[in-house]
Amino acid sequence: MKILSTDIPQVLLIEPQVFEDARGFFLESFNQKIFTDKTSLHYDFVQDNHSQSAYNVLRGLHYQITQPQGKLVRVVVGKIFDVAVDIRKSSSTFGKWVGYELSAENKRQLWIPPGFAHGFLVLSEVAEVIYKTTDYYSPGGDRTILWNDPDLAIDWPLQQPPILSAKDSNGRLLKDAEVYE
């Protein structure tokens, strides 16, 4: 496993070791000991989520104000542009974002720690995203920041307006959102 730093030090891009031959490939998608040894982080993952989305669907920017979730995100079908936004008010990177292409082909994963909002845009015909979380889903604490907040200025690789849920269309601006202290 190779750990790559990002412009926000707590967000990590992870490249698993892939063993390929004529039959296909094998990789360890997660190993607690290696993750902890290489990152000095220890989290217990309690839930796995799996979503499927069509081309140009944009999901996010989601977070939970109660029961904040760390997420380890990977793509098993297709390709996405995955974004993490620091919404920890006391952080030197508050309001900053990083985004990376994750795909079934590159097999990269993104570690997004608790205290961040998360979203992604589907770049392929279809994408299936799987992510581990460090806490359970809490419907009462679920929040959304507007994907196109001008203060965030996320450079989504859009060719046309995205397909959004009602929840994502009605997200709040970061300046009006409940955030972490």
Side-chain angles (χ1 to χ4, degrees):
M1 172 190 307
K2 192 175 355 180
I3 307 293
L4 306 171
S5 59
T6 70
D7 289 339
I8 300 176
Q10 297 84 4
V11 177
L12 303 172
L13 193 58
I14 300 169
E15 292 181 344
Q17 186 173 11
V18 181
F19 301 93
E20 293 185 81
D21 62 26
R23 299 168 299 157
F25 74 87
F26 171 85
L27 65 87
E28 239 179 31
S29 62
F30 182 75
N31 179 307
Q32 182 71 54
K33 182 175 179 356
I34 294 172
F35 182 78
T36 300
D37 289 351
K38 291 207 174 237
T39 65
S40 300
L41 300 172
H42 181 81
Y43 288 96
D44 292 321
F45 291 102
V46 299
Q47 183 174 315
D48 282 1
N49 299 324
H50 187 151
S51 74
Q52 181 190 53
S53 304
Y55 172 73
N56 210 43
V57 166
L58 193 150
R59 294 184 183 265
L61 302 160
H62 302 152
Y63 65 103
Q64 293 186 170
I65 198 65
T66 55
Q67 295 176 226
Q69 294 177 315
K71 297 177 180 177
L72 183 59
V73 183
R74 68 190 184 105
V75 174
V76 295
V77 173
K79 177 171 46 173
I80 66 171
F81 182 68
D82 203 38
V83 172
V85 179
D86 189 347
I87 58 170
R88 301 167 300 160
K89 201 159 194 110
S90 61
S91 170
S92 63
T93 55
F94 175 74
K96 305 288 184 216
W97 64 274
V98 292
Y100 294 93
E101 189 174 288
L102 304 181
S103 69
E105 187 175 313
N106 71 24
K107 298 172 184 52
R108 286 180 157 184
Q109 298 178 51
L110 193 64
W111 163 246
I112 304 167
F116 285 72
H118 172 245
F120 64 85
L121 172 69
V122 177
L123 304 175
S124 52
E125 184 177 327
V126 68
E128 292 191 30
V129 178
I130 295 176
Y131 57 99
K132 301 178 123 11
T133 65
T134 59
D135 210 337
Y136 297 103
Y137 177 63
S138 172
D142 197 22
R143 301 288 186 272
T144 303
I145 293 172
L146 196 59
W147 67 276
N148 61 351
D149 181 332
D151 289 338
L152 296 177
I154 296 172
D155 189 16
W156 297 101
L158 287 161
Q159 305 301 314
Q160 59 200 41
I163 301 165
L164 302 167
S165 69
K167 170 184 160 180
D168 294 342
S169 295
N170 295 309
R172 300 178 120 186
L173 296 173
L174 179 60
K175 67 183 178 186
D176 300 324
E178 287 179 84
V179 295
Y180 307 106
E181 290 304 316

